[in-house]
């Protein structure tokens, strides 16, 4: 009850690297539990800075029931200017709490966990919405850490990709991701400086940028039947959203903070363009067709961080990689 563990990022990444297949299944089960109401996932809380309007630190509290029966909070920062310094944009910590007593029992470096749950949800959606694990052409827009993790999860799930196209404003970052995809993952990859060319003919498109407002606004940018993983949430104009099938992770969570679906709701005054949630799609309660693009927009649920964090915690404890903090709690009795 009074044990407290700290799990660093290297340990978390090692656990994730050896269990990506299982993490996709963990994310799938968590989506279904959330859809069934076996979770508490309040709104995220944003700390913003007047002098740094593009920077923020977000608190994601949540509770996941069932066998997990765990509560907690992720505290994750996004400072886009870090990219210019050559360091990752995001950093995070995750605190896990025992549901019976409320006592925290672990603190985990969570940028790896956050990237893993994001990547796992993207690949899970791709598998569900395409009905398989193949792509003649896979296009990735944005060549950062999230994009790299998504490609690593595609590989772990044995996706067969004939060609990979990488588009990024930075030629250096695009080339680095293409090289990693080719050399480490075995996906024949090239860079494409032209966005329209990169999108054309792709079976699956991954949007993983730091865009603050839509730049994909051409009515013909996406093709009917094309699956678009809208991971960065703000790349797509509301007109394109309105003209597509839209699968979200959670409707109320996603329709806020000027995400592309939120902009569409504001412009069209309703939610008629929303097809349903990914959990509803998995359960067969909603369907999509090949007459319009299919867009998956995940706002990112705190319960996913809890589920993946708990998975990493158990693996680290079993391997002896968790650092136990003796006497972390100064008082363990009332008197």
């Amino acid at each position: 009850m009074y044990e407290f563990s700290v799990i660093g990022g290297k340990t978390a990444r090692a656990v994730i690297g050896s269990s990506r297949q299982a993490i996709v299944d963990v994310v799938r089960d968590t989506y279904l539990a959330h859809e069934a109401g076996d979770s508490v996932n309040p709104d995220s809380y944003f700390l913003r800075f007047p002098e740094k309007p593009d920077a923020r630190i977000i608190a994601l509290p949540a509770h996941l029931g069932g066998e997990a029966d765990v509560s907690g909070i992720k505290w994750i920062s996004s400072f886009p200017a870090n990219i210019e310094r050559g360091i990752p944009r995001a950093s995070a910590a995750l605190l896990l709490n025992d549901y019976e007593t409320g006592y925290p029992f672990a603190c985990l470096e969570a940028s790896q966990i956050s990237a893993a749950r994001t990547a796992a949800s993207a690949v899970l959606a791709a598998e569900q919405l395409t009905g398989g694990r193949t792509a003649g052409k896979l296009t990735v827009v944005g060549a950062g850490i999230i994009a790299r993790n998504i490609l690593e999860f595609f590989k772990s799930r044995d996706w067969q990709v004939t060609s990979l196209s990488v588009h990024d404003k930075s030629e250096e970052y695009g080339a680095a991701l293409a090289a990693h995809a080719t050399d480490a993952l075995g996906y024949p990859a090239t860079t494409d400086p032209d966005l329209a060319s990169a999108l054309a003919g792709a079976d699956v498109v991954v949007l993983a940028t730091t865009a603050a407002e839509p730049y994909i606004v051409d009515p013909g940018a996406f093709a009917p039947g094309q699956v678009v993983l809208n991971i960065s949430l703000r790349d797509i104009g509301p007109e394109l959203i309105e003209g597509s099938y839209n699968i979200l992770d959670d409707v109320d969570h996603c329709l806020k903070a000027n995400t592309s679906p939120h902009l569409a709701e504001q412009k069209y005054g309703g939610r008629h363009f929303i097809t349903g949630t990914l959990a509803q799609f998995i359960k067969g309660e909603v369907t999509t067709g090949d007459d319009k693009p299919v867009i998956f927009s995940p706002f990112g649920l705190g319960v996913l961080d809890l589920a993946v964090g708990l998975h990493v915690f158990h693996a680290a404890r079993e391997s002896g990689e968790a650092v136990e903090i003796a006497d972390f709690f100064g008082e363990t009795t009332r008197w």
Side-chain angles (χ1 to χ4, degrees):
M1 173 177 172
Y2 304 118
E3 295 179 347
F4 189 84
S5 304
V6 175
I7 299 167
K10 290 184 178 180
T11 297
R13 180 156 179 80
V15 171
I16 291 165
S18 64
S19 58
R20 291 189 180 97
Q21 282 261 23
I23 288 173
V24 176
D25 295 332
V26 167
V27 166
R28 180 184 186 277
D29 292 344
T30 304
Y31 273 138
L32 293 174
H34 178 68
E35 185 73 23
D38 201 3
S39 67
V40 181
N41 203 107
D43 288 343
S44 303
Y45 300 90
F46 287 71
L47 174 62
R48 298 188 182 276
F49 310 92
E51 304 84 3
K52 296 182 177 182
D54 64 336
R56 62 189 186 273
I57 307 179
I58 312 171
L60 287 80
H63 171 75
L64 179 61
E67 293 183 4
D69 219 19
V70 64
S71 304
I73 187 167
K74 181 177 72 172
W75 182 239
I76 181 167
S77 69
S78 174
F79 280 53
N82 285 351
I83 296 174
E84 299 173 6
R85 302 184 180 98
I87 61 176
R89 170 187 59 85
S91 59
L94 174 68
L95 196 66
L96 299 180
N97 294 72
D98 174 65
Y99 179 57
E100 182 178 352
T101 66
Y103 272 68
F105 62 85
C107 180
L108 301 91
E109 195 282 331
S111 63
Q112 303 294 330
I113 291 166
S114 187
R117 64 87 150 140
T118 300
S121 68
V123 174
L124 173 66
E127 292 177 4
Q128 294 294 322
L129 298 175
T130 66
R133 297 182 183 179
T134 61
K137 179 182 177 182
L138 171 64
T139 290
V140 177
V141 180
I145 290 174
I146 295 299
R148 185 193 72 206
N149 276 270
I150 291 172
L151 290 180
E152 289 171 347
F153 269 81
F154 270 118
K155 183 64 176 181
S156 75
R157 298 287 284 186
D158 297 323
W159 268 71
Q160 302 301 307
V161 176
T162 303
S163 67
L164 173 65
S165 179
V166 179
H167 173 81
D168 194 284
K169 292 191 297 183
S170 166
E171 182 178 344
E172 177 185 359
Y173 289 145
L177 182 62
H180 177 72
T182 300
D183 299 338
L185 306 179
Y187 291 147
T190 58
T191 59
D192 194 332
D194 182 70
L195 176 61
S197 173
L199 297 176
D203 300 298
V204 178
V205 175
V206 178
L207 302 177
T209 74
T210 58
E213 58 185 28
Y215 59 90
I216 302 177
V217 295
D218 184 339
F222 302 134
Q226 194 174 52
V227 171
V228 180
L229 306 178
N230 183 28
I231 306 306
S232 38
L233 285 177
R234 295 172 178 85
D235 304 62
I236 305 171
E239 298 83 3
L240 283 169
I241 293 289
E242 199 270 341
S244 302
Y245 293 102
N246 287 277
I247 301 294
L248 314 181
D249 57 354
D250 181 287
V251 175
D252 289 332
H253 279 78
C254 198
L255 293 179
K256 63 183 63 171
N258 288 329
T259 63
S260 293
H262 186 209
L263 293 178
E265 180 189 36
Q266 294 175 66
K267 178 167 185 173
Y268 296 103
R271 301 181 173 185
H272 63 278
F273 56 87
I274 297 174
T275 307
T277 66
L278 183 59
Q280 290 172 331
F281 189 92
I282 292 171
K283 294 166 65 179
E285 295 176 356
V286 299
T287 60
T288 60
D290 57 8
D291 56 321
K292 297 186 292 186
V294 181
I295 300 175
F296 173 59
S297 298
F299 193 75
L301 301 177
V303 287
L304 297 182
D305 295 291
L306 295 186
V308 176
L310 193 63
H311 170 85
V312 171
F313 166 76
H314 286 312
R317 285 286 299 271
E318 290 173 5
S319 67
E321 294 295 317
V323 178
E324 308 297 338
I325 308 299
D327 301 323
F328 180 79
F329 298 101
E331 294 183 277
T332 55
T333 60
R334 293 192 65 192
W335 299 104

